[in-house]
Amino acid sequence: MSGKSFYLETFGCQMNAHDSEKVIGTLEQQGYRQVESEEEADLLLYNTCSIRDKAEQKVFNRLNDYKRLARAGKRFGVIGCVAQQEGEKIFERAPYVSLVAGSASYRRLPELIERLEAGETRVTGLDDRQTEETFETEFTARKNPYRAYITIIEGCDKFCAYCVVPYTRGKERSRSSESVVEEARRIAGMGYTEIQLLGQNVNSYRDPIGKKSFAELLTAVAEVDGIRRVRFTTSHPRDFTRDIVEAIDAVPTLCDHVHLPVQSGSTRVLRQMAREYSREWYLERIAWMKAAKRRISISTDLIVGFPGETTAEFEETVTLLDEVQYDAVFAFKYSSRPNTPSLVMIDSIPEAEKSKRLQILLDRQREIQRLNYENHLGEKMEVMVEGYNPAREQVIGRSSQNKPVNFSWPHPIAPAPGSYQWVRVTRAFPNSLVGEAVTGEALTGQATAGMAAV
Ligand code: 5AD
Ligand code: SF4
């Protein structure tokens, strides 16, 4: 088997996790076998993230940790966002790396791997960011046993001032709605019941053949036979249209959860960030969701300490939390990134001040979530099983609103991941719910391909 095994580690977002599933499938198709440790592998691949400086450093630490293996003849490949961003500079920093490829070049992966096998030591896939093509493969190695991902749109054309994504993932390009629905049918045929539609800007989706709007595509996927839950991430407020809310109201299999990153509560900071909306404009979209018939759970991303953010402007972000009452918030300290427009703005807020602002947000949000989660006490909800925690003797699962729900189970054998159970909520924490299975009403989900009993 020598020369034909690979190890792959993934950093970053769900897009990256799913890209890895496609990369693994492609390599397996070329006769490679995935192994669990660096030592066992002939080819070591790192699928990387460069969204913040900390994320970017991880790959260089990893390369450093394992460079000794290069002496044993193993080859290294850096793929994904750091690869695209740093390009051939990676060969200088880590000369034992022989493949550097951005995600827009994955379509050419078979050819790049062949060149590597032929002995080339500097193989690159870096020039495809203007491509109109998406990376589709029938060989996706789906690693998540209960949730299947489908990328519907790649790249990003928004160019927010702080963000590397348009530079690392290239131009925005959508798949045809036919191919998406067709993949959803295939996935349902494999036994999956939950689908997550992915895109850096998922709701900028434009059917290239012009047939379906994003909301219509959501509906079409949610109506595929056998599919019980459809999620989508990440939405941009600029492209968030009312028909998305109407679709969630009309189609029960569309999950009642929307992740709508706001980034800041201050209109001036939003303008500096080139987000192309104001606080009021964003709140109008929130009002649509609050007026829906279903209670839609809303989550967001925030950046603190963007260049020039005053204390008063930061306060506007805190009051936004109070106004929206999010169910989850992912907050980050601003990190200046190569190539981005905000690089020329002075990163003026000291690190300690950024940390302070972050903590204020997290503390405030914890209180909001404590109350939001307590509102579920006594509620009976359908939970999809994700695993089992033997230490706590609890089944681990998730509600349609994407809230973690851990529950006791009265039988000796835990329910299978991917199955659905009715749970009554008995305790609430700021980040999770605890409950008990409602016996006699347990529903069994379809068995999922590759699913192991826990
Ligand atoms: N610094 C800090 N956070 C960032 N994000 C994106 N770019 C940066 C940056 N340069 C955050 C945004 C985005 C999330 C994925 O990461 O909040 O929504
Ligand atoms: Fe990281 Fe953004 Fe690339 Fe995802 S798209 S891996 S978050 S830099």
Side-chain angles (χ1 to χ4, degrees), residues 11-16 47-52 55 80-82 163-165 168-169 200:
F11 303 94
C13 60
Q14 278 152 330
M15 291 282 284
N16 254 21
N47 188 3
T48 58
C49 172
S50 62
I51 196 89
R52 286 171 290 275
C81 293
V82 177
C163 188
V164 286
V165 172
T168 59
R169 287 191 169 270
Q200 286 304 331

Side-chain angles (χ1 to χ4, degrees), residues 82-91 100 124 126:
V82 177
Q84 186 66 59
Q85 181 184 289
E86 297 300 303
E88 300 194 4
K89 280 189 274 177
I90 292 177
F91 295 135
V100 174
T124 57
L126 297 167

Side-chain angles (χ1 to χ4, degrees), residues 35 49 58 141 160 167 179 230 246 251 253 306 314 406 414 425 439 447:
V35 292
C49 172
K58 282 188 193 154
C160 299
Y167 311 94
S179 85
V230 174
E246 287 160 4
V251 187
T253 42
F306 186 77
F314 166 68
N406 305 318
V425 178
T439 44

Side-chain angles (χ1 to χ4, degrees), residues 46-329:
Y46 295 102
N47 188 3
T48 58
C49 172
S50 62
I51 196 89
R52 286 171 290 275
D53 189 51
K54 254 198 196 144
E56 183 181 332
Q57 289 319 314
K58 282 188 193 154
V59 63
F60 292 108
N61 294 342
R62 209 56 108 240
L63 286 171
N64 211 28
D65 289 347
Y66 288 99
K67 70 176 176 209
R68 62 188 158 81
L69 296 178
R71 285 194 291 276
K74 296 179 191 288
R75 278 166 310 164
F76 288 75
V78 177
I79 61 174
C81 293
V82 177
Q84 186 66 59
Q85 181 184 289
E86 297 300 303
E88 300 194 4
K89 280 189 274 177
I90 292 177
F91 295 135
E92 287 159 35
R93 203 160 157 183
Y96 45 91
V97 169
S98 45
L99 169 71
V100 174
S103 63
S105 300
Y106 291 165
R107 295 169 295 113
R108 298 197 290 116
L109 213 50
E111 170 218 322
L112 301 179
I113 297 289
E114 268 169 33
R115 283 170 47 198
L116 210 57
E117 287 177 350
E120 276 189 56
T121 53
R122 293 274 192 271
V123 179
T124 57
L126 297 167
D127 303 323
D128 295 303
R129 281 178 297 175
Q130 293 306 315
T131 182
E132 298 287 345
E133 310 257 333
T134 51
F135 176 38
E136 291 173 43
T137 169
E138 57 187 296
F139 304 119
T140 307
R142 298 197 177 275
K143 295 289 170 185
N144 187 317
Y146 44 82
R147 175 182 297 154
Y149 296 105
I150 305 181
T151 305
I152 65 165
I153 175 169
E154 294 180 22
C156 177
D157 287 344
K158 288 284 188 295
F159 293 92
C160 299
Y162 50 81
C163 188
V164 286
V165 172
Y167 311 94
T168 59
R169 287 191 169 270
K171 209 167 107 168
E172 205 166 273
R173 52 218 186 264
S174 298
R175 282 173 63 176
S176 75
S177 56
E178 275 100 343
S179 85
V180 173
V181 174
E182 161 63 29
E183 187 168 356
R185 288 204 189 101
R186 259 203 327 266
I187 284 167
M190 291 163 75
Y192 282 99
T193 59
E194 178 169 320
I195 288 180
Q196 182 155 350
L197 301 179
L198 295 177
Q200 286 304 331
N201 246 319
V202 76
N203 58 331
S204 306
Y205 177 82
R206 285 235 153 66
D207 194 348
I209 313 160
K211 286 197 184 140
K212 283 195 183 3
S213 68
F214 174 64
E216 286 166 346
L217 179 62
L218 282 180
T219 304
V221 172
E223 286 176 347
V224 166
D225 272 352
I227 295 304
R228 293 172 63 162
R229 282 187 179 180
V230 174
R231 305 182 182 283
F232 54 99
T233 200
T234 292
S235 297
H236 193 294
R238 201 56 232 177
D239 301 311
F240 194 80
T241 46
R242 210 166 189 157
D243 55 357
I244 300 172
V245 182
E246 287 160 4
I248 294 174
D249 256 348
V251 187
T253 42
L254 270 180
C255 287
D256 39 358
H257 169 228
V258 172
H259 184 62
L260 197 63
V262 63
Q263 312 300 359
S264 169
S266 150
T267 296
R268 193 200 69 88
V269 174
L270 288 170
R271 198 178 315 119
Q272 292 299 105
M273 289 176 163
R275 292 290 286 177
E276 297 186 344
Y277 56 83
S278 63
R279 176 189 177 103
E280 289 66 36
W281 201 90
Y282 179 85
L283 285 173
E284 194 183 348
R285 269 89 206 136
I286 298 293
W288 294 345
M289 287 191 265
K290 302 243 172 191
K293 291 198 273 300
R294 292 171 81 187
R295 187 202 168 280
I296 300 176
S297 172
I298 309 167
S299 57
T300 203
D301 291 348
L302 290 166
I303 296 176
V304 296
F306 186 77
E309 182 191 63
T310 64
T311 322
E313 285 163 348
F314 166 68
E315 277 302 321
E316 291 187 74
T317 302
V318 182
T319 60
L320 186 91
L321 293 188
D322 290 334
E323 245 176 274
V324 179
Q325 301 277 306
Y326 292 106
D327 276 341
V329 165

